[in-house]
Amino acid sequence: MNLTVFGIGYVGLVQAAVLAEVGHQVVCVDIDVKKVERLNQGLIPIFEPGLENLVKENHAAGRIKFTTDAAAAVKHGQIQMIAVGTPPGEDGSADLKYVLAVAEAIGREMAAPKIVVGKSTVPVGTCEKIKARIAATLKARGREDLTFDVASNPEFLKEGSAVADCMKPDRIIVGTGSEDTEAVLRELYAPFNRNHEKMIVMDVRSAEFTKYAANCMLATKISFMNEMANLAEELGADIEEVRKGIGSDPRIGYHFIYPGLGYGGSCFPKDVRALIKTAEGVKFDAKLLRAVEERNNEQKSVLFDKVNRYFKGNLKGKTFALWGLAFKPNTDDMREAPARVLMEALWKAGAKVQAYDPEAMQECQAIYGLREDLLLCGTKEAALRGADALMIATDWKTFQAPSFDAIKDALSTPIIFDGRNLYDPKVITRYGIEYHSIGRMAA
């Protein structure tokens, strides 16, 4: 099938590459000229396992193309997929200006019937706004004879495993009231639906709401577990043992119940805030969601508070090794990453940071530039040299089995502040290293 994808960000690029991989002809359009040029040169703007080869191979085969030409892109696709960003406004609500700009472009350029698919995470009712914008643009052109439909098809990709999630989705949510649109989207996703029925068809508003409800549910699990971790620490319990105990209950499960420094990234923080604003718009008091956000914001300061207490508030002139900058492993994304809150608090207190991350070093440089109180190191071992303590903010696999002897020898004070509970406190103690983690008593 011929498909057009508006927006070559995280969602759009992954979805386009995977659809091209199964044989669809995909044209990706974006207003960022430099991004389009780099993609046509084989340069991928984000790190995501498996994505680079997928894009390069399908681009070379002619199944995926990148352009800034909206007119040509609209002409190409029977399906017009909208995957542009919906950044949060100052009040936390989702900003739909890019989504509606695409809708207007489609209405301005279309010359044949189209199916418009909303892939971006958007508030309930956005597809109706897209439909109204396209209809108004067609009316202004005098082309009300052109037919189109607007469907919701939210993505459920996890950064770090997005390609795999897209190739083998656990569900495909489609919001539409049109049997014809449903049939076309079933054909589009047929290669991903062969093993068993994965497509769940519902009304448009329910599909839009499903994405927010899913992300907010996962964010709630994370904040709940972090609250339990903080309470366990006060009560002298070990949250890691508690996690195993409650996770064994199939009604709870082990997913998203790891205590730590809170959630970050491009989805959970934005979507929780956006749903809170949506609730306010219908005069509904989203008490639970507000509590989830409040706990998460406070959790990002937990590791700094531990460090500050240990050094009795005297952090000026001290140097701290930091392992992990991205908000989670297998990505270079630092949006709302706990590491940013931690570093900025340390700098404010007069401390220096020696940081290492397998993928997010360039992103960190882009965010903070050159600073005398930030040294980006080429290896995790280099970050340790002469530091007063080691802090861990991201649970990359490369951090999970280090040489504790090397850590002890490199640090001026043999102490670890672990925001991801990577190690067994008893093992750390045997190496003569003091260990502070989340929801467990200090070793």
Side-chain angles (χ1 to χ4, degrees), residues 405 408 413-415 426-435:
D405 284 328
K408 183 180 179 181
T413 308
I415 182 169
K426 294 178 182 177
V427 172
I428 301 292
T429 302
R430 289 204 302 267
Y431 283 90
I433 299 173
E434 190 170 344
Y435 185 60

Side-chain angles (χ1 to χ4, degrees), residues 233-234 301-315 417 436-437:
E233 203 166 300
E234 296 296 326
S301 298
V302 164
L303 205 61
F304 173 78
D305 292 341
K306 288 176 181 289
V307 173
N308 198 40
R309 281 196 302 271
Y310 180 85
F311 289 100
K312 298 179 172 57
N314 184 25
L315 300 180
F417 294 92
H436 297 262
S437 51

